[in-house]
Amino acid sequence: MDAKFVPSSSSLDPNALGTLRSRARADDPKAIEAAARQFESLFLNQLLKSMRDAQKGDGEGIFDSNESRMYTGLLDEQLANRIANGRGIGMADMVMAQIDRARSMTKAAELAATPAGASGGGAGGAGIEVKNAPPMPIIRQGDRNGR
């Protein structure tokens, strides 16, 4: 089997997830991207599993056995990893954008909370720009039924 088709780690490997968690807590951008890709891979794996379950008929097929179900589960995991680590479906990009937005909002709030003289010019001198405002809820509390 060609080495480029074998993923470096499974999306369900607890050791790899622990390492990724510690790197993401250290605010490593590559770790955040890897976590977003793994999330997309897990989502795709569930999607493929649901699609296979929906495809099954009422009767037992000639190739339906515990072993074939195990191998199709492994195949789905590998397909999900390949799709997520390739072009993907865009979910990892959305997760990374949401994390970046949340981090920039947190940094802006921290800068706004510090006195203007303590940081050397306030929020404007720090060079942090908030790209997007937080999303507004569609229905606010008390606005039900157009009131």
Side-chain angles (χ1 to χ4, degrees), residues 85-97:
N85 291 317
R87 289 182 58 191
I89 60 171
M91 182 177 282
D93 297 330
M94 289 189 289
V95 168
M96 288 186 300

Side-chain angles (χ1 to χ4, degrees), residues 11-12 35-51 76-77 79-81 83-84 88-92 94-95:
S11 60
L12 304 175
R37 297 269 175 222
Q38 264 192 338
F39 178 75
E40 184 174 2
S41 175
L42 287 171
F43 175 79
L44 287 168
N45 190 14
Q46 288 298 315
L47 181 70
L48 290 169
K49 181 180 175 185
S50 297
M51 289 169 52
D76 289 346
E77 183 181 340
L79 285 172
N81 281 335
I83 293 169
I89 60 171
M91 182 177 282
M94 289 189 289
V95 168

Side-chain angles (χ1 to χ4, degrees), residues 1 3 7 12 22 53 58 67 71 74-75 79 102-103 107 110 112 128 133:
M1 180 177 245
L12 304 175
S22 64
D53 289 344
D58 291 335
E67 291 80 12
Y71 282 114
L74 291 171
L75 174 66
L79 285 172
R103 286 174 40 196
K107 288 180 183 179
E110 289 172 358
I128 295 177

